[in-house]
Amino acid sequence: MNKRKATQLSVEFLVDLSSLLMSNVIAYIICICIHKVPNTTKQSIWIYLISLILSFCVIFFGFSVSMDLTIRNRAREFVAVLRNCLLTYMTLAVALVLTRSDFIKGRYMFLLSLAFFIVLSCINRYFTKRLLIRHFTHSGLVSLTGVITVGERAQDYVSELQQDWTRHIKGIALLDAELHNGEYAYKDSHGGRCRSTVAVKPNVEKHISDIPVVANLSNVIDWVRRESLDEVYINIPYEYESEMVEIAEEIESMGVVVHINLPSLEKFVEDSEFDNVECAVVAGVPTATLTASRQLSLSAAFLKRLIDIVGGLVGSIVSLPIILIVAVPLLIESPGPLIFKQQRVGKNGRVFNIYKLRSMYVDAEERKKELMSQNKMDGLMFKMDNDPRITKVGRFIRKTSIDELPQFWNVLKGDMSLIGTRPPTLEEFSKYESHHKRRLSMRPGITGMWQVSGRSEIKNFEDVVKLDCEYIDNWSIWLDIKIMLKTVRVVIRGIGAE
């Protein structure tokens, strides 16, 4: 189930359930006023509520409308609401008879609540649809999207893609565009030259369907590598197939989901090291979805996030007294802010602020350049023995991993997960090659494969990337549990921490 369908189903469920409960409350109050409420006990009220909710769930999940919420007309919406409401109350009536509920005698409340349920469901669905279409485009529910195409196809293709409110298209790359006087231009089907997009200078942008054109064939890879993107849609004619095989394969290696139209599919599948391919029709175009690793199902993603929320809450509560205890000696030794905040790069290039207990002197970042010659890591990470920037208390909280405790707040915010990959700094990320970005295709974690595999003994950054990709390729809840248990052992024994 894709993001749009999952969100639609969740929103419709909550809207209809709230309409059902509200209609019963209103009907109950009216019946009290006109003295038409049957004699009930607390037990019978609970039985009624349970029967009501179970009846609703059975009908909702058994007869939910598969058609996209955003393209249903009012007639279809009313028919769907009427059908679900009537079936729900028919099921409820059977349940009340079987449970011998006192509410079976309350026909006024039964009919009133049904009428209110139909009316409220229609009203709430109408406003929910408007809210989803108009206001959720820039929410955390959207998928950050890039488009690679040619000038002749761009307008229609991008317009079709924009009809899905779960996509936020950040830019367009026109392969047949050339840079002329600071603007990208492409030849139209009549042989003329059509200026369509972005100037080098800011605030002088041209657009296609209000989306800026930001690249052409020569710099499309650099754009995708640096931009925050979850997925890229490619729609090109056959004559560009040789160029697009190489481009699509490199984008896939970054961990970004690739949707490519079928002319390029056969050659790509033959040469790619990854075999995760799904085909579908997107915006009227046959398209293949290519991923470097299998995507989490809705249920798996929900379970992982639920574990993160519970773990984040528990971790935050347990961490607070520990942080208060170490704060005193830490601040006495090195006056300054208690919490160290730093920009890091998260899932698919999203930038967020990571929080740690400050274990270094306040001028640590300025002194880093002087110490780069002593870096013992081969690659894009920095680590050295006996780092002079670390305070005495800082060395202790690093050894015990106490400095990582504020990151439970990052987990609650959704920037990080309990288990994941290490989030790089902006400086490290700016030096990434294409295959390095793939390690960011899942949400970063407080701990992960690298941390429990003797991180102090791993000197080569490519080995870190290999471990992270191994985690992404083999992810499961049981693997997360295994890493969590190993983390506890590592923290208690102080293995690999510096």
Side-chain angles (χ1 to χ4, degrees):
M1 183 180 293
N2 61 33
K3 185 182 293 186
R4 181 181 70 253
K5 290 182 179 178
T7 304
Q8 172 183 310
L9 190 65
S10 301
V11 170
E12 284 190 276
F13 178 82
L14 294 174
V15 167
D16 287 354
L17 181 59
S18 62
S19 299
L20 176 64
L21 297 177
M22 193 182 304
S23 65
N24 275 268
V25 170
I26 295 173
Y28 189 78
I29 293 173
I30 292 175
C31 287
I32 289 177
C33 294
I34 62 176
H35 306 290
K36 295 295 183 179
V37 176
N39 295 324
T40 58
T41 62
K42 286 185 177 180
Q43 182 179 359
S44 63
I45 291 174
W46 278 110
I47 291 175
Y48 177 82
L49 285 174
I50 293 172
S51 300
L52 184 69
I53 294 173
L54 287 177
S55 299
F56 168 77
C57 291
V58 168
I59 299 304
F60 182 87
F61 291 108
F63 297 89
S64 59
V65 179
S66 59
M67 182 181 291
D68 189 350
L69 173 73
T70 59
I71 60 176
R72 289 183 218 152
N73 57 35
R74 294 181 183 179
R76 287 180 178 273
E77 197 71 77
F78 177 75
V79 170
V81 167
L82 186 62
R83 182 197 62 188
N84 284 8
C85 291
L86 291 176
L87 288 175
T88 297
Y89 270 72
M90 288 171 61
T91 307
L92 174 63
V94 173
L96 294 179
V97 171
L98 293 177
T99 58
R100 299 180 180 179
S101 171
D102 295 330
F103 280 89
I104 198 66
K105 303 173 185 177
R107 60 183 181 276
Y108 289 96
M109 180 177 170
F110 189 92
L111 295 175
L112 276 173
S113 61
L114 173 58
F116 280 120
F117 185 30
I118 295 172
V119 173
L120 289 177
S121 292
C122 289
I123 294 173
N124 287 341
R125 283 196 180 200
Y126 173 83
F127 285 106
T128 298
K129 183 187 294 187
R130 301 278 76 76
L131 181 66
L132 286 174
I133 296 173
R134 295 179 183 177
H135 301 295
F136 278 23
T137 304
H138 300 289
S139 74
L141 295 172
V142 299
S143 178
L144 305 181
T145 303
V147 175
I148 300 175
T149 185
V150 294
E152 187 177 3
R153 299 187 177 195
Q155 183 67 54
D156 293 339
Y157 189 62
V158 172
S159 298
E160 287 288 331
L161 289 175
Q162 286 179 311
Q163 292 185 19
D164 186 341
W165 57 268
T166 61
R167 295 192 193 103
H168 174 47
I169 302 177
K170 301 195 69 177
I172 303 168
L174 295 180
L175 300 187
D176 57 345
E178 296 177 357
L179 198 59
H180 289 278
N181 299 323
E183 293 181 355
Y184 288 108
Y186 65 91
K187 292 181 180 180
D188 60 24
S189 57
H190 301 291
R193 187 166 292 277
C194 174
R195 295 175 186 271
S196 53
T197 112
V198 70
V200 173
K201 295 181 179 180
N203 302 320
V204 192
E205 296 183 344
K206 303 277 182 164
H207 301 76
I208 291 177
S209 296
D210 296 325
I211 308 298
V213 176
V214 294
N216 60 11
L217 182 59
S218 64
N219 59 4
V220 61
I221 287 296
D222 290 333
W223 168 60
V224 176
R225 187 184 298 135
R226 303 306 169 202
E227 185 61 89
S228 300
L229 295 174
D230 297 313
E231 53 185 353
V232 171
Y233 282 84
I234 301 173
N235 179 16
I236 46 91
Y238 184 81
E239 56 264 32
Y240 284 91
E241 187 168 30
S242 59
E243 289 93 341
M244 286 315 304
V245 169
E246 182 178 349
I247 291 175
E249 186 172 3
E250 186 157 4
I251 294 174
E252 186 197 15
S253 73
M254 300 180 198
V256 177
V257 177
V258 181
H259 309 273
I260 185 170
N261 62 313
L262 294 179
S264 301
L265 179 60
E266 184 175 346
K267 178 64 176 174
F268 183 85
V269 172
E270 181 182 333
D271 295 342
S272 175
E273 62 180 293
F274 306 108
D275 296 321
N276 301 299
V277 181
E278 294 182 3
C279 296
V281 177
V282 178
V285 178
T287 303
T289 298
L290 313 168
T291 56
S293 56
R294 62 184 179 84
Q295 301 295 294
L296 270 63
S297 65
L298 178 64
S299 58
F302 175 80
L303 181 58
K304 183 171 175 63
R305 182 58 187 149
L306 180 62
I307 293 173
D308 284 342
I309 292 173
V310 174
L313 284 171
V314 174
S316 297
I317 293 171
V318 173
S319 298
L320 185 58
I322 300 175
I323 292 174
L324 293 176
I325 291 172
V326 301
V328 176
L330 193 153
L331 293 176
I332 290 176
E333 182 182 9
S334 175
L338 175 64
I339 301 296
F340 173 70
K341 182 175 72 171
Q342 184 184 45
Q343 284 193 319
R344 293 290 184 97
V345 182
K347 183 178 179 181
N348 289 330
R350 290 171 171 81
V351 178
F352 69 98
N353 288 320
I354 195 172
Y355 301 100
K356 291 186 176 186
L357 284 177
R358 183 171 57 85
S359 58
M360 293 185 173
Y361 293 102
V362 291
D363 61 346
E365 287 300 310
E366 290 76 11
R367 297 171 60 186
K368 181 179 178 180
K369 294 180 180 179
E370 305 170 5
L371 302 169
M372 286 301 295
S373 60
Q374 302 179 52
N375 185 14
K376 66 178 186 178
M377 291 292 293
D378 296 327
L380 305 181
M381 296 168 61
F382 177 82
K383 189 177 288 292
M384 65 172 290
D385 295 323
N386 301 316
D387 193 331
R389 301 173 301 160
I390 303 176
T391 64
K392 294 179 180 178
V393 178
R395 204 169 298 280
F396 168 75
I397 63 175
R398 283 191 168 204
K399 186 71 174 176
T400 55
S401 298
I402 292 175
D403 64 319
E404 310 281 354
L405 294 180
Q407 289 171 41
F408 283 114
W409 175 243
N410 287 116
V411 173
L412 286 176
K413 288 175 63 182
D415 297 325
M416 297 178 65
S417 176
L418 293 175
I419 313 296
T421 61
R422 174 189 174 275
T425 64
L426 295 179
E427 181 184 1
E428 292 170 356
F429 181 68
S430 67
K431 301 174 184 177
Y432 268 23
E433 297 178 12
S434 296
H435 70 282
H436 294 152
K437 190 176 180 181
R438 185 175 171 233
R439 66 186 297 268
L440 302 178
S441 58
M442 284 186 71
R443 189 180 285 122
I446 296 179
T447 185
M449 291 279 282
W450 173 60
Q451 289 88 335
V452 299
S453 300
R455 64 179 186 235
S456 294
E457 303 301 320
I458 299 175
K459 309 297 184 184
N460 194 318
F461 178 65
E462 294 298 334
D463 292 333
V464 176
V465 175
K466 184 178 179 181
L467 282 171
D468 288 338
C469 291
E470 180 184 336
Y471 169 76
I472 292 169
D473 291 338
N474 299 288
W475 180 88
S476 69
I477 290 296
W478 297 114
L479 179 59
D480 274 3
I481 293 173
K482 182 179 179 181
I483 293 174
M484 202 173 296
L485 294 175
K486 283 188 175 182
T487 300
V488 173
R489 180 175 67 88
V490 166
V491 170
I492 292 176
R493 297 177 60 184
I495 301 172
E498 291 187 354

